[in-house]
Amino acid sequence: MDLDLLHELAQPNTTKIVLCSLDGLGGLPRPGTGKSELETARLPNLHALAARSACGLLRHVGPGITPGSGPGHLGLFGYDPLQHPVGRGVLEALGIDFHLKPGDVAARGNFCTVDGEGRITDRRAGRIATDLCIRLCERLRAITVDGVELIIEPVKEHRFVLVLRGDGLSGRLSETDPQALHVPPLPVRALDPSAASTAAAVNHFIERARGILQDAAPANMVLLRGFDRQPDIPLFPVTFRLRAAIAAYPMYRGLARLVGMDVLDTGATFADEIATLRERWCDYDFFFVHYKDTDKAGEDGDFDAKVAALERFDSHLPAILALGPDVLAVSGDHATPSILAAHGWQPVPALVSSPYCGADHVSRFTERDCAAGALGLVPAQDLMPVLMANALRFTKYGA
Amino acid sequence: MDLDLLHELAQPNTTKIVLCSLDGLGGLPRPGTGKSELETARLPNLHALAARSACGLLRHVGPGITPGSGPGHLGLFGYDPLQHPVGRGVLEALGIDFHLKPGDVAARGNFCTVDGEGRITDRRAGRIATDLCIRLCERLRAITVDGVELIIEPVKEHRFVLVLRGDGLSGRLSETDPQALHVPPLPVRALDPSAASTAAAVNHFIERARGILQDAAPANMVLLRGFDRQPDIPLFPVTFRLRAAIAAYPMYRGLARLVGMDVLDTGATFADEIATLRERWCDYDFFFVHYKDTDKAGEDGDFDAKVAALERFDSHLPAILALGPDVLAVSGDHATPSILAAHGWQPVPALVSSPYCGADHVSRFTERDCAAGALGLVPAQDLMPVLMANALRFTKYGA
């Protein structure tokens, strides 16, 4: 749906919407039992909620496409991820909760190892410890470039973020990582003429970094890729006329901030997130809450841990219901089937509960049951308009 | 689907298609019983037909979007309502069966009340009686504008239609209704330069109306909005190579005429509509029949009346089947759940019956059951191609 049209239809109301995302929710049957994580777990509260909800399956990017966390969340927020690509460098900056400013250009950096001829021998510098990454970033901060502010932030192991701040910067730059060994890093090229001065600044940074890191083997060089500016995305609170807030982890906070949601300070546990909702209940119309444990267990390939994570979520569900949201949705940003031990392309179960959600025959919140639900198999970005409608926050289209 | 492609595939045949629209068909479960209107009603004929049909759910505009009657019917006729917006003024003219000509510009008019300073105190003039509206429209007909024919038609209560007829008119005009009290009506502005002379003509009309209505409080001023020209829509009989006719109420007759269907004279009851079909059976390939009672009961929030309306429709179904259509479809233009007492965004049940419709597990024509049908959850404009195919009126695409 066109976001301008949704904005035209949006109208104020006093109703409250809670969208609960279980990271990596969708799974696959385990060979042996033939049952998925959702089918194996004891989920009395989720199944009871599904029985009085409209259920379906969400697909976040396209058929067979495995979404990263960025596109996965943009879909849940109502955006077509293919219409709103977010560069790798920007995602990396959001992932460490770095506050990008309009016009900033961000890149993903790797420390790497080069030999005496400057040819790459390890693209990840042996995955150096994060402590060392922090100290090396500190050294790189000595580099200055005329007219451009350089910001260097460590991430984890060999990874860091480079942000260029200043007037007239462009993200239309080629990558320095040749994605191959035994060749030198590439210089940055401007992909259109307006990026020439940014390319020169980055190449200057790279040459200075080479000198500074000369004695730092195995991390004696840098590779840069995914240059991009913060994308120009219509703001969520404006589009949907909702005061919107998120209680979640850094990466998801960054994405939510990108679309204009307020980020609430919250504790480290899911119970803390729910407590934060309770405290701030009157201040917002829309809450996005994020449950991380399901994805972590799936990525580890730990089927039983994912089952246990689902059961823990289920035990928290009554506390969310007790808040009395007018509309409650439960879904996820992508599948992370334990047998894949990675993000998957499989559609993700979703439920929408409200007095007007309608009914279907689904009484269990599983991949298999939701396939026959009233929501159908729909793009993830279709969820937000359905939530808005159930919150009676859309006017009629056409007389 | 692209209408040009559908036109290329369309071929003549002798088969007959009947598309039966129950206005506001879709509903929601009533709290207490947990059953929707369709689930509560005794519908032996509809359920038996569903058992031998392909069933599914239609969505007329987009996820969460509540369709007005205009977009709802365009969807059933095979058009994407978002690609073919119809302005409010045009819909209002169609609603009174006014025959718009190409180039006409129509606006929705309200009589309103203004105070001594010309500021609006009631945007609907206390909803004056329709009789008075007719007499006031008569007075406004005294107004003339050089080079433009003005046509003023009463609608109901405070509502009327203004049609401008002449050469070079444009509908790109701002509205005079400020949608607020205690401010004066706005003058009309041209939204692009080509609309300047039309704007001048409308402003001249408004100034003359102010004078004529001076003594007519509470209806002592007019507000105009929804200026638009008749949209340029590919004609239905041409696109699908079908001789097409409709038996229905004014609003729906107007929409059908807009897309080039023949409008059949018929009586006031649904039995009259079926009798008209029987009489004209040999003259057409495609009949659109419209059942109004379901929507009226839903809009009134009268669950039991909607159940009764569904049961009355069911009793007429054998008479439609007795005509022997090769393809019979039953659906609606939008949901009107009694518990909402208004149009709703919920997808609408649909069935398609023909020797080639295929089978599914659905044996009851309800929202819940149709969710698991073979048609799936599809845009309403996908129905017409399916009916054409089942009538063996499409050739193969590609060799």
Side-chain angles (χ1 to χ4, degrees):
Chain A
M1 292 298 298
D2 178 64
L3 294 175
D4 289 337
L5 174 65
L6 297 184
H7 176 63
E8 273 176 47
L9 298 176
Q11 57 179 6
N13 202 329
T14 57
T15 47
K16 304 261 185 216
I17 303 170
V18 173
L19 170 51
C20 212
S21 173
L22 281 68
D23 204 309
L25 172 64
L28 284 172
R30 170 187 239 173
T33 69
K35 288 182 176 179
S36 74
E37 298 89 332
L38 278 166
E39 289 170 338
T40 305
R42 280 198 67 254
L43 306 170
N45 297 307
L46 260 173
H47 293 332
L49 180 61
R52 56 181 192 270
S53 299
C55 296
L57 293 172
L58 301 187
R59 203 170 60 187
H60 292 73
V61 182
I65 311 294
T66 296
S69 292
H73 278 83
L74 284 181
L76 287 180
F77 296 163
Y79 302 87
D80 179 352
L82 294 172
Q83 298 296 315
H84 299 284
V86 181
R88 175 107 203 178
V90 171
L91 282 175
E92 202 77 9
L94 298 176
I96 56 167
D97 216 8
F98 182 86
H99 290 223
L100 285 173
K101 292 187 178 175
D104 285 358
V105 169
R108 151 88 182 259
N110 272 14
F111 288 104
C112 69
T113 313
V114 293
D115 65 16
E117 263 72 59
R119 292 175 302 217
I120 301 166
T121 56
D122 184 337
R123 290 176 51 245
R124 296 182 185 84
R127 293 189 183 273
I128 54 168
T130 304
D131 278 359
L132 178 56
C133 177
I134 293 170
R135 290 199 302 278
L136 292 173
C137 284
E138 196 59 55
R139 283 165 74 172
L140 293 180
R141 286 182 184 140
I143 302 171
T144 58
V145 174
D146 281 353
V148 181
E149 183 184 352
L150 297 179
I151 304 161
I152 295 139
E153 295 289 347
V155 180
K156 196 181 166 189
E157 298 178 338
H158 56 288
R159 287 153 52 199
F160 66 92
V161 172
L162 169 69
V163 175
L164 293 88
R165 183 167 287 170
D167 291 334
L169 295 171
S170 167
R172 300 278 299 135
L173 301 175
S174 69
E175 314 201 324
T176 81
D177 186 343
Q179 304 270 352
L181 297 181
H182 312 302
V183 290
L186 303 166
V188 159
R189 284 177 299 105
L191 297 178
D192 66 45
S194 68
S197 65
T198 314
V202 173
N203 284 325
H204 178 85
F205 166 80
I206 292 169
E207 284 320 304
R208 291 289 317 281
R210 187 195 304 273
I212 287 175
L213 297 174
Q214 211 168 342
D215 62 347
N220 61 355
M221 186 50 182
V222 295
L223 296 173
L224 297 171
R225 58 194 170 110
F227 290 92
D228 203 4
R229 288 173 63 145
Q230 187 167 332
D232 191 18
I233 298 183
L235 295 180
F236 181 96
V238 174
T239 299
F240 295 111
R241 298 182 197 267
L242 289 171
R243 297 171 300 164
I246 183 170
Y249 276 41
M251 167 64 134
Y252 318 104
R253 286 208 296 265
L255 278 164
R257 191 180 287 118
L258 187 72
V259 300
M261 290 189 201
D262 281 2
V263 172
L264 304 180
D265 282 330
T266 187
T269 70
F270 192 62
D272 291 332
E273 288 188 26
I274 298 172
T276 303
L277 251 60
R278 197 178 301 116
E279 286 156 26
R280 307 299 300 273
W281 191 247
C282 295
D283 302 337
Y284 294 95
D285 310 308
F286 175 92
F287 293 92
F288 183 84
V289 283
H290 179 263
Y291 183 71
K292 180 69 186 169
D293 297 0
T294 33
D295 182 58
K296 204 179 163 308
E299 295 256 16
D300 291 343
D302 191 338
F303 194 97
D304 294 328
K306 191 167 172 194
V307 167
L310 289 167
E311 292 180 348
R312 282 199 304 282
F313 175 84
D314 190 75
S315 70
H316 286 293
L317 191 55
I320 299 174
L321 290 167
L323 297 169
D326 298 280
V327 183
L328 172 62
V330 179
S331 189
D333 57 338
H334 56 78
T336 307
S338 304
I339 65 165
L340 271 178
H343 287 201
W345 61 90
Q346 297 80 4
V348 179
L351 66 79
V352 175
S353 168
S354 94
Y356 313 110
C357 64
D360 54 29
H361 285 301
V362 181
S363 58
R364 285 169 56 82
F365 190 60
T366 69
E367 298 83 0
R368 209 181 304 233
D369 290 82
C370 288
L375 295 179
L377 165 61
V378 292
Q381 63 265 29
D382 286 5
L383 182 65
M384 261 313 294
V386 170
L387 303 188
M388 288 289 289
N390 276 277
L392 306 181
R393 286 176 172 268
F394 270 153
T395 58
K396 189 160 64 175
Y397 174 77
Chain B
M1 291 299 298
D2 176 66
L3 295 175
D4 289 335
L5 173 65
L6 298 184
H7 176 63
E8 276 175 45
L9 298 177
Q11 58 180 7
N13 201 330
T14 57
T15 47
K16 304 262 184 217
I17 302 171
V18 173
L19 171 50
C20 210
S21 173
L22 280 68
D23 204 309
L25 171 64
L28 283 173
R30 171 187 239 171
T33 69
K35 290 183 176 179
S36 74
E37 298 90 331
L38 278 166
E39 290 170 337
T40 306
R42 280 198 65 255
L43 305 171
N45 297 308
L46 260 174
H47 293 332
L49 180 61
R52 55 181 194 272
S53 299
C55 294
L57 293 172
L58 302 187
R59 202 171 61 187
H60 293 73
V61 182
I65 310 295
T66 296
S69 294
H73 278 84
L74 285 182
L76 288 180
F77 296 163
Y79 302 87
D80 178 352
L82 293 172
Q83 297 297 315
H84 299 284
V86 181
R88 175 110 204 175
V90 171
L91 283 174
E92 201 78 9
L94 298 177
I96 56 166
D97 219 6
F98 181 87
H99 290 223
L100 285 173
K101 293 187 178 176
D104 285 359
V105 169
R108 151 88 182 259
N110 271 15
F111 287 102
C112 69
T113 313
V114 293
D115 65 16
E117 263 73 60
R119 291 174 304 216
I120 301 166
T121 57
D122 185 337
R123 291 177 51 245
R124 297 181 184 85
R127 294 189 182 272
I128 53 167
T130 304
D131 278 1
L132 178 54
C133 178
I134 293 169
R135 291 200 301 279
L136 292 173
C137 284
E138 196 60 56
R139 283 165 73 172
L140 293 180
R141 287 182 182 140
I143 303 172
T144 57
V145 175
D146 282 353
V148 180
E149 183 183 353
L150 297 180
I151 305 161
I152 296 140
E153 295 290 345
V155 179
K156 197 180 163 188
E157 297 178 339
H158 56 286
R159 287 153 51 197
F160 66 92
V161 173
L162 170 68
V163 175
L164 293 89
R165 182 167 288 171
D167 291 333
L169 294 171
S170 167
R172 300 277 300 136
L173 300 175
S174 70
E175 313 200 326
T176 81
D177 186 344
Q179 304 271 351
L181 297 181
H182 312 302
V183 290
L186 304 167
V188 160
R189 285 177 300 106
L191 298 178
D192 65 45
S194 68
S197 65
T198 315
V202 173
N203 283 325
H204 178 84
F205 166 80
I206 292 169
E207 283 320 304
R208 292 287 319 279
R210 188 195 304 274
I212 286 175
L213 298 173
Q214 209 167 346
D215 63 345
N220 61 355
M221 186 52 182
V222 295
L223 296 173
L224 298 170
R225 58 194 169 111
F227 289 93
D228 203 5
R229 288 171 63 145
Q230 187 168 332
D232 190 18
I233 297 182
L235 295 180
F236 181 97
V238 175
T239 299
F240 296 109
R241 299 182 197 265
L242 289 171
R243 297 170 301 163
I246 183 170
Y249 274 40
M251 166 66 131
Y252 317 106
R253 286 208 297 264
L255 278 164
R257 189 179 288 117
L258 188 71
V259 299
M261 289 188 202
D262 281 2
V263 172
L264 305 180
D265 281 331
T266 188
T269 70
F270 192 61
D272 292 333
E273 288 187 30
I274 298 171
T276 303
L277 252 59
R278 198 179 300 116
E279 287 155 25
R280 306 300 300 273
W281 193 247
C282 294
D283 303 337
Y284 294 96
D285 310 307
F286 175 92
F287 293 93
F288 183 83
V289 283
H290 179 262
Y291 182 72
K292 179 70 187 167
D293 296 0
T294 33
D295 182 59
K296 202 177 165 310
E299 294 258 16
D300 291 343
D302 191 337
F303 193 99
D304 295 328
K306 190 167 172 192
V307 168
L310 288 167
E311 292 179 347
R312 282 198 305 281
F313 175 84
D314 190 75
S315 69
H316 287 293
L317 191 55
I320 299 174
L321 290 167
L323 296 169
D326 297 279
V327 183
L328 172 62
V330 179
S331 190
D333 58 337
H334 55 78
T336 307
S338 305
I339 66 166
L340 271 179
H343 288 201
W345 61 89
Q346 296 80 5
V348 179
L351 66 78
V352 175
S353 167
S354 93
Y356 315 108
C357 65
D360 56 26
H361 286 300
V362 181
S363 58
R364 285 168 56 82
F365 192 60
T366 69
E367 299 83 0
R368 212 182 301 238
D369 289 83
C370 288
L375 295 178
L377 166 61
V378 292
Q381 63 265 29
D382 287 4
L383 182 64
M384 263 312 295
V386 171
L387 302 188
M388 288 290 289
N390 276 277
L392 307 182
R393 286 175 172 269
F394 270 154
T395 58
K396 187 158 65 175
Y397 173 76

